Amino acid sequence: MKVLALISVIMTGALLIYGTEEMPDWGDPNSPASSHVSPGYIQEAIEKTATPNMVTAVLADYRGYDTLGETTVIFTAGIACVLMLRKKRKGEGERYA
Amino acid sequence: MLDYIISKYNFWMYIVLMMIGLYAMVGKRNFVKKLIGMNIFQSAIILFYVSTGVKAGATVPILSGHGHGHEVIEVAKYLNPLPHVLMLTAIVVSIATTGVALAILILIYRRYNTLEEDEILKIRKDAGV
Amino acid sequence: MAEQFAALIIVVPLICSFLVPVIGWWKKKLCYPWVVAVLVIPVIAALGVLNAVMTTGKFSYRLGGWAPPWGIEYALDYLSAFVLLIVSVISLIVAIHSKKSVEEELPEKTVPFYTLYLLLVTGLLGIVITGDVFNLFVFLEISSLSCYGLIAIGEEGAPIAAFNYVILGTIGACFYLLGIGYLYIATGSLNMADLSGILPNLYHSKVILVAFAFFTVGIMIKGALFPLHIWMPDAYSTAPSSVSALIAPLMTKVAAYVMIRIMFTIFQPHFSVEIVPVMPILGWLAVFAIFVGGIKALAQTDIKRMLVYILVAEVGYIVIGVSVANQIGLTGAILHIMNDAAMMACMFLVVGAVFYKTGTRNIYEMHYLNKKMPFTMAAFTITALSFCGIPPTCGFFSKWYLILGTIDAGQWVYAAALLGSSLINAVLFFRVIECAYFKPMQPAYANDGGETHLEIQRDEAPLSMLVPIIIMAAGVILLGLFSGNIISSIIQFAVPASF
């Protein structure tokens, strides 16, 4: 079982490293990731959102919906823990919802 | 050759870290070790993403002292903010998943009094499941 | 108002799920009516969206007014509107059914249960409607976390099954995230429409190939395609009845929807079919899924585990339809998404009602159910006929299109697998029908001092369970009768045009 896990892990790692061959170099300012969408964020964040911190501007304004989803994820995890772990207390009746 | 390694070694390091985490998730027999492997895997993915936003010689994507002046903002001087944003969400998701998994482990421990997969299988087989 | 339907369909269940703990603290009895009332709104909104798509063509809804690719948008076309309607209708019907079984199985956990129920439905609706790959990941995690929590409170063995599901599900989601990462490094964008414009220039890049591979494996884990289905039998069969009735029809179908989106909208059919040889691999895995699902189902005595193995086979049907990659096959696959969701929902609702009334899920203990629960068993028989592919139920039509699609592509082994699986389904269901309808060897006689006669009372399921079951069974027949209309008005346009 451990041998099988080791083989599949090595194959996955090899596939990932094979994919890095054609990636842009580390720190390249002309990579597609740095030249397609993010110049718009960097140049226009201050005038459209009046926030000097660009990460906050993207997080709370442009992609604010993802932040709402992330808050919902925390809420879901909290309710899941309540669902699983709350023990029934004896003699308390209907005090809890 | 050395040039090639220097330009890609960050990705390789994070891939090795990911694979360590993945091996722990799949190959280990103790539930807590699987959980720690899951954490390592997700942390390595987060590091991988953040390293894609680096630009040589750039500074953090926070404008200081510009106020509302309409000066030209040079794109190559600031890091790419988008991977940081995505990874803030991914960190939160990772914490939430770890929390739910730990709650499930508490349920398992209350029932079987052990967290080793082999022992639990033995207990279930003896009980006739 | 009509323009905002696309936003309402997510926002209403989300905000109302935050309100369920508040309402539950005040009065616990109000949770169930509140949940049912809230779930009516996504159905209306989905009908509105489908109407808008059918009259004006596909449209997109920008969240916050930011233009894509800088902001997030919803992409509403025929396929997503169709799947939205399926998800919202089935979640409403299962919610109506859930009242008695939650009171029986989870007495003091009603409030968190209904909260997670609404969150799960929100997550599924969000996966279907969004047009941004990272947003899909966030909603995938919302629905997965609710699922882990809901499964873990089931019966004996449920926490272990839930933990295995956590580990495998997280591997799947993290592979999906890695796929997004590789795609982002190569293109710089996260919007589906934008990606489908940029990617054709990059089809021969290794980065894109690895991204595609990781997307496919991640979605295969979430959608339980053989051989990555191993988490599913334990998890779905030890979960509480309402939970299995909700997640069994929906989660695998939404994963199949995501697979169709990735393969045919983001990566154009030219890439998925011709450049990357993934279709034969998927086709053969689906054939194995059908056989392994069928054979393992034959070995089960617990009816819920048998149904979950049949679900493994049904996922194989949809993937065969995707892998033959022609117009008819894909039509069959999309039609089967709808039909299988309806059939599975009806089956699991029936099993939930039988479990509520008799307390057993063992096939060989289900005697005299035709006298005790006639309407429930009638619904069971109709759905069993649909699984075997007998007209005019809906199962026949989707199998018909799938078989035509495989013959069109020249894949005779796939067609043989589909036909063989109908036979195995017939054996599986007639086993249960025989036990429930026909008398066993030692009937239960009421000993009355010499005179022996049968004493079986009619003990039908309560009305809140019976009405959804009858609605779903009627739906199975009606969807079959109207499948021609459905195909010509909706599905025909949902298939990508370049086939």
Side-chain angles (χ1 to χ4, degrees), chain C residues 122-389:
Chain C
T122 311
L124 290 174
L125 290 171
I127 295 177
V128 175
I129 204 174
T130 185
D132 182 285
V133 284
F134 191 75
N135 207 8
L136 206 154
F137 171 73
V138 174
F139 278 112
L140 186 69
E141 285 300 303
I142 294 180
S143 63
S144 300
L145 281 177
S146 333
C147 218
Y148 304 151
L150 286 173
I151 290 178
I153 51 175
E155 43 185 52
E156 174 76 32
I160 299 184
F163 191 79
N164 279 331
Y165 184 21
V166 168
I167 296 290
L168 273 173
T170 309
I171 295 181
C174 288
F175 277 4
Y176 180 81
L177 194 59
L178 267 177
I180 298 181
Y182 271 64
L183 215 53
Y184 177 71
I185 290 177
T187 60
S189 167
L190 289 173
N191 187 322
M192 287 189 195
D194 199 23
L195 282 171
S196 66
I198 300 180
L199 278 175
N201 299 335
L202 294 168
Y203 275 167
H204 294 279
S205 150
K206 291 181 186 148
V207 185
I208 301 295
L209 182 64
V210 171
F212 185 73
F214 274 91
F215 273 136
T216 309
V217 174
I219 295 300
M220 267 168 59
I221 296 180
K222 282 292 185 182
L225 182 61
F226 180 88
L228 298 163
H229 68 287
I230 46 182
W231 56 268
M232 197 160 79
D234 293 321
Y236 284 12
S237 59
T238 51
S241 320
S242 303
V243 173
S244 341
L246 180 67
I247 54 182
L250 292 179
M251 299 237 17
T252 42
K253 310 302 169 296
V254 169
Y257 161 83
V258 175
M259 186 186 270
I260 295 180
R261 266 280 181 255
I262 292 177
M263 285 193 189
F264 299 124
T265 306
I266 301 181
F267 294 90
Q268 297 295 327
H270 174 60
F271 179 82
S272 320
V273 176
E274 289 160 34
I275 300 186
V276 176
V278 75
M279 293 306 180
I281 301 177
L282 280 181
W284 282 100
L285 284 178
V287 168
F288 280 124
I290 293 180
F291 276 122
V292 166
I295 291 176
K296 286 204 97 151
L298 282 170
Q300 306 298 328
T301 53
D302 180 353
I303 192 172
K304 224 157 140 185
R305 268 186 93 92
M306 179 185 101
L307 284 175
V308 175
Y309 278 112
I310 293 179
L311 181 62
V312 172
E314 299 283 325
V315 173
Y317 286 16
I318 299 180
V319 175
I320 280 188
V322 168
S323 77
V324 290
N326 53 18
Q327 176 111 11
I328 308 182
L330 209 53
T331 311
I334 299 178
L335 190 63
H336 199 64
I337 289 181
M338 176 180 74
N339 291 342
D340 188 52
M343 298 192 295
M344 275 293 163
C346 189
M347 269 304 181
F348 274 94
L349 290 179
V350 163
V351 168
V354 168
F355 185 60
Y356 176 76
K357 273 292 162 184
T358 60
T360 176
R361 290 205 306 263
N362 192 332
I363 297 180
Y364 298 109
E365 290 176 13
M366 292 182 176
H367 302 307
Y368 299 109
L369 279 179
N370 66 321
K371 296 227 171 33
K372 279 197 227 171
M373 309 172 77
F375 290 109
T376 314
M377 289 316 286
F380 180 86
T381 314
I382 293 175
T383 318
L385 289 177
S386 177
F387 271 110
C388 306

Side-chain angles (χ1 to χ4, degrees), chain C residues 107-130:
Chain C
E108 61 261 2
K109 299 190 179 185
T110 348
V111 174
F113 175 86
Y114 280 118
T115 317
L116 282 183
Y117 189 99
L118 277 182
L119 283 167
L120 177 59
V121 173
T122 311
L124 290 174
L125 290 171
I127 295 177
V128 175
I129 204 174
T130 185

Side-chain angles (χ1 to χ4, degrees), chain C residues 419-441:
Chain C
L419 288 169
S421 147
S422 299
L423 238 65
I424 297 181
N425 278 350
V427 169
L428 287 166
F429 283 106
F430 282 133
R431 214 170 38 149
V432 184
I433 292 180
E434 175 195 357
C435 215
Y437 275 84
F438 303 117
K439 299 192 180 72
M441 296 297 288

